[in-house]
Amino acid sequence: MGLPQRTDVVIIGGGVIGASIAYHLAERGKTDVTLVERKSLTSGSTWHAAGLVGQLRSSSSLTQLMRKSVETYQALEAKTGYATGWRGVGGLRVASSPGRLAELRRVYTQGKSFGFDIHLVSPAEAGQLFPLLNTDGVYGATWTPFSNLRRAPTAGRSRSRNAMTRWLITTRFGRRTA
């Protein structure tokens, strides 16, 4: 597929970020977007991304941004008809030293101030939440029930497909041509 002679927006990179940009532009009515990927969609660094989507960040605005990302991922499969690999699995942050436990207590307090669903748990509770955890030397943990996991390549393809079909924009996915 050749590249167009003219386009309003060019996005370089067809990973989860590039696909996300195309998706959000389509959501806002942008209709002339070209996404350029040198190989195939999500084949670069997105392909081997861990896919963890923790929502609690160092500021309220970043936490809100991550919450919005989660809302998007939760709705994406229904919008596109393509699997995203999205799973709400929860997140456990473990303290193996008194210093780390103090840090997790700060994170807990900060999370609560942002209205985030976060819990301080004992080593025994952490072991119940994740039975493979060896709790020897564990001082405590935080549990966030709504941390999530997504398959980055699948989510990127789903977003790209959504940008192309649901909003019928002329997003072009192409390889460099001679």
Side-chain angles (χ1 to χ4, degrees):
M1 173 187 300
L3 293 176
Q5 294 296 310
R6 187 199 163 286
T7 189
D8 287 343
V9 177
V10 176
I11 301 167
I12 299 173
V16 72
I17 299 298
S20 178
I21 292 167
Y23 170 86
H24 287 288
L25 287 171
E27 286 258 305
R28 287 159 180 76
K30 194 68 184 156
T31 60
D32 190 10
V33 176
T34 301
L35 178 63
V36 181
E37 171 56 48
R38 69 183 172 91
K39 291 185 178 179
S40 60
L41 287 177
T42 70
S43 65
S45 59
T46 291
W47 177 81
H48 56 79
L52 300 175
V53 182
Q55 297 172 57
L56 184 57
R57 295 293 184 254
S58 59
S59 71
S60 178
S61 58
L62 288 175
T63 298
Q64 289 172 8
L65 177 65
M66 293 306 296
R67 282 181 172 169
K68 181 65 176 165
S69 294
V70 166
E71 290 170 13
T72 300
Y73 281 121
Q74 289 172 331
L76 196 57
E77 189 168 336
K79 282 185 175 183
T80 65
Y82 286 85
T84 60
W86 182 256
R87 292 179 46 213
V89 295
L92 192 64
R93 294 182 186 184
V94 177
S96 58
S97 71
R100 175 70 170 145
L101 183 58
E103 179 184 340
L104 289 182
R105 285 185 174 134
R106 285 190 296 276
V107 167
Y108 167 80
T109 301
Q110 183 179 32
K112 285 295 188 185
S113 75
F114 296 161
F116 198 76
D117 187 10
I118 186 170
H119 308 272
L120 278 172
V121 297
S122 69
E125 291 168 312
Q128 290 171 346
L129 289 165
F130 186 66
L132 298 177
L133 176 66
N134 178 351
T135 58
D136 295 345
V138 172
Y139 287 78
T142 59
W143 167 247
T144 52
F146 297 105
S147 289
N148 300 279
L149 177 67
R150 57 116 173 95
R151 292 197 61 239
T154 309
R157 285 189 296 271
S158 182
R159 279 187 169 181
S160 300
R161 179 64 64 179
N162 194 41
M164 286 192 308
T165 60
R166 296 290 289 204
W167 279 266
L168 301 175
I169 68 170
T170 57
T171 302
R172 299 167 187 94
F173 301 93
R175 296 177 186 204
R176 231 178 9 202
T177 58

